[in-house]
Amino acid sequence: MHIFDTFLIHYLQRFDEYCFTVKLHGKTYTVGEGTPLFNLVFNRDISKKELLTSTSLSLGEAYMRKDLEIEGDLFTALRCLLSQNDRFSLEKSALGYLLHSSESKADQKKMVSSHYDLGNDFYGLWLDPSMSYSCAYFKNDTDTLETAQHNKIYYTLEKLHLKKGMKLLDIGCGWGYLLIEAVQKYGVKGYGCTLSREQWKKGQERIKALGLEGQVRIDLIDYRDLAEEGRKYDRIVSVGMIEHVGRSNYSLYMKTASHMLKKGGLFLLHYISGHDESVGNPWMRKYIFPGGMLPSLREIIAKAYDYDFQVIDVESLRRHYYRTLMCWYHNFQAVREQVIADKGEEFARMWELYLCGCAVSFQIGNIDVHQILMTKGTNNELPMIRWY
């Protein structure tokens, strides 16, 4: 046998940039040099095959089952490990069913629903009252999550340079808050589409409660089907939706948006971006966002120019998303017992790993979030300086 008792202990030695301890079978091992920052406690060994097939999947599932527990701060532990993700193993050939899932219309609807239809009551526990489930915008250090989400909505709408009477389309409109605010503040006509029945239902309730039936419309429909209706819009916005369309559909997505936007119109695309065109994290794709894919900035910019868009501004909101996720994570921890009572402890451990892990990924720069502002063709009518 190797000098280490198991392959797991040997394998974890590669993550030696930071010091931590590993406890297994009653023994304690130290990784790295210095004072340990946290302890990994394994209540069950993990096989060589599992670790080499996918480090993220094997350790993530172990944490969900409580086969792995962390003594110390979860954020610190994830930060130390994820900052060394170039040392993770991934055998793509063994995980084709996860990494290359179907990108058909029917399958995408199922995958989107699996995440967003967990229930409005569940999301209402830890999101802010606006039910905004995307990056907030912290203008001041003292901003609460609710304030920052309002900031994000207004900042996004300002970028669209809206005028009364314009038609605004929100592709993947969620619970409808952005559309409703646009209608109330700017007097535009709002249209939205979503594949989530729960989001659609909440959107209808909001529209009715505010008496906006004639000004805001949200359909439970695929954006490609919406395009077939032949409507043209002055402005299009899409927040956190292109991550779900799949790499093979990026061209179709941009083509569809271009087809629905009037000449000279503005398109604001807000999305989580990867640094490369990788297939993604297996654990995230299996448990959190089935079929999810993070476009790189370069490929979206290239697709934009393929379909008559001209990019006029790009902004990174990476550090804002780190702070947003930490707010969500702390909110979730405050209602953790309630979630366990409703959905079980394994689900709660999965969700806290997702929220905290994403916060880490934004904080260390493994992923980013961008707002890209584009015009359909040339627009010489906009202010010559950033007006927002």
Side-chain angles (χ1 to χ4, degrees):
M1 183 175 284
H2 196 278
I3 188 171
F4 299 111
D5 290 326
T6 74
F7 180 79
L8 171 62
I9 303 301
H10 165 70
Y11 185 83
L12 291 174
Q13 296 294 320
R14 66 175 62 190
F15 301 104
D16 60 357
E17 191 173 323
Y18 301 93
C19 184
F20 60 94
T21 64
V22 181
K23 297 180 180 180
L24 176 67
H25 298 157
K27 296 182 180 180
T28 300
Y29 308 84
T30 301
V31 177
E33 298 181 357
T35 303
L37 300 174
F38 58 91
N39 304 316
L40 299 182
V41 181
F42 286 91
N43 300 315
R44 184 186 75 84
D45 203 351
I46 300 178
S47 72
K48 178 179 181 179
K49 181 179 180 181
E50 288 178 276
L51 287 166
L52 293 182
T53 299
S54 172
T55 306
S56 69
L57 191 59
S58 58
L59 294 182
E61 290 181 335
Y63 184 82
M64 289 165 59
R65 297 188 301 259
K66 294 188 75 172
D67 291 339
L68 165 60
E69 299 184 80
I70 294 175
E71 293 178 344
D73 179 54
L74 178 61
F75 183 92
T76 299
L78 290 175
R79 189 181 190 282
C80 292
L81 293 173
L82 291 176
S83 65
Q84 304 176 78
N85 69 345
D86 59 329
R87 304 177 190 183
F88 281 28
S89 298
L90 177 60
E91 187 180 339
K92 295 179 182 179
S93 60
L95 296 172
Y97 70 102
L98 278 180
L99 304 179
H100 303 288
S101 52
S102 168
E103 295 179 352
S104 70
K105 188 183 292 187
D107 288 330
Q108 283 185 335
K109 179 175 175 58
K110 292 176 185 176
M111 290 186 286
V112 167
S113 295
S114 72
H115 184 89
Y116 295 97
D117 285 343
L118 288 171
N120 294 332
D121 290 342
F122 167 68
Y123 285 107
L125 288 174
W126 50 274
L127 292 178
D128 74 292
S130 75
M131 297 285 279
S132 295
Y133 190 27
S134 56
C135 178
Y137 188 69
F138 293 86
K139 294 174 67 174
N140 305 291
D141 289 341
T142 56
D143 284 348
T144 64
L145 175 62
E146 183 175 3
T147 297
Q149 289 293 9
H150 284 295
N151 293 343
K152 184 272 299 295
I153 294 297
Y154 299 140
Y155 188 47
T156 300
L157 294 177
E158 283 295 313
K159 286 188 176 186
L160 287 167
H161 210 263
L162 296 167
K163 303 293 183 183
K164 186 174 181 179
M166 282 185 172
K167 293 181 179 179
L168 169 65
L169 170 65
D170 187 347
I171 302 176
C173 65
W175 289 276
Y177 185 74
L178 182 147
L179 274 179
I180 289 170
E181 289 298 302
V183 167
Q184 293 184 316
K185 184 174 182 180
Y186 293 96
V188 300
K189 292 279 188 176
Y191 300 85
C193 61
T194 178
L195 290 177
S196 165
R197 182 166 292 277
E198 286 289 296
Q199 290 183 334
W200 174 82
K201 184 171 67 175
K202 179 69 173 181
Q204 304 309 312
E205 292 172 357
R206 283 176 156 174
I207 292 168
K208 185 176 181 180
L210 293 168
L212 297 175
E213 291 93 334
Q215 296 169 269
V216 185
R217 173 177 166 182
I218 297 175
D219 290 330
L220 186 63
I221 190 174
D222 190 285
Y223 72 98
R224 289 161 286 195
D225 295 329
L226 185 66
E228 293 174 3
E229 296 181 359
R231 294 196 194 97
K232 295 286 185 178
Y233 300 90
D234 301 283
R235 302 287 189 263
I236 297 179
V237 63
S238 186
V239 179
M241 185 273 185
I242 197 173
E243 300 93 317
H244 298 288
V245 309
R247 183 155 280 119
S248 68
N249 289 322
Y250 292 162
S251 290
L252 176 60
Y253 178 89
M254 298 302 288
K255 179 181 179 181
T256 302
S258 180
H259 175 73
M260 291 190 292
L261 188 61
K262 294 178 182 178
K263 197 71 174 176
L266 287 174
F267 177 27
L268 188 143
L269 179 61
H270 171 129
Y271 72 102
I272 301 172
S273 57
H275 297 314
D276 54 28
E277 291 76 52
S278 66
V279 292
N281 180 298
W283 183 82
M284 287 284 287
R285 286 176 67 93
K286 182 175 181 179
Y287 291 102
I288 308 298
F289 292 113
M293 189 78 70
L294 302 184
S296 68
L297 181 60
R298 59 178 166 238
E299 64 185 327
I300 294 302
I301 297 294
K303 297 294 183 188
Y305 281 93
D306 285 342
Y307 295 100
D308 199 25
F309 287 115
Q310 295 182 16
V311 175
I312 61 174
D313 199 21
V314 178
E315 183 174 7
S316 167
L317 300 178
R318 177 182 62 82
R319 295 167 68 188
H320 293 271
Y321 218 163
Y322 154 66
R323 188 167 169 184
T324 303
L325 279 151
M326 288 306 294
C327 289
W328 289 343
Y329 173 63
H330 291 309
N331 286 353
F332 182 82
Q333 291 300 94
V335 297
R336 191 176 187 274
E337 294 305 313
Q338 192 173 339
V339 174
I340 290 174
D342 184 44
K343 296 183 180 295
E345 186 169 7
E346 185 170 304
F347 177 92
R349 291 176 69 85
M350 174 185 77
W351 211 259
E352 69 186 4
L353 189 62
Y354 150 57
L355 293 174
C356 194
C358 285
V360 167
S361 294
F362 281 108
Q363 201 264 350
I364 64 179
N366 280 358
I367 53 179
D368 209 323
V369 60
H370 285 101
Q371 283 195 346
I372 305 175
L373 187 61
M374 302 168 259
T375 61
K376 170 75 174 293
T378 302
N379 185 324
N380 290 322
E381 305 303 317
L382 298 169
M384 290 176 64
I385 60 171
R386 286 187 170 109
W387 59 87
Y388 34 86

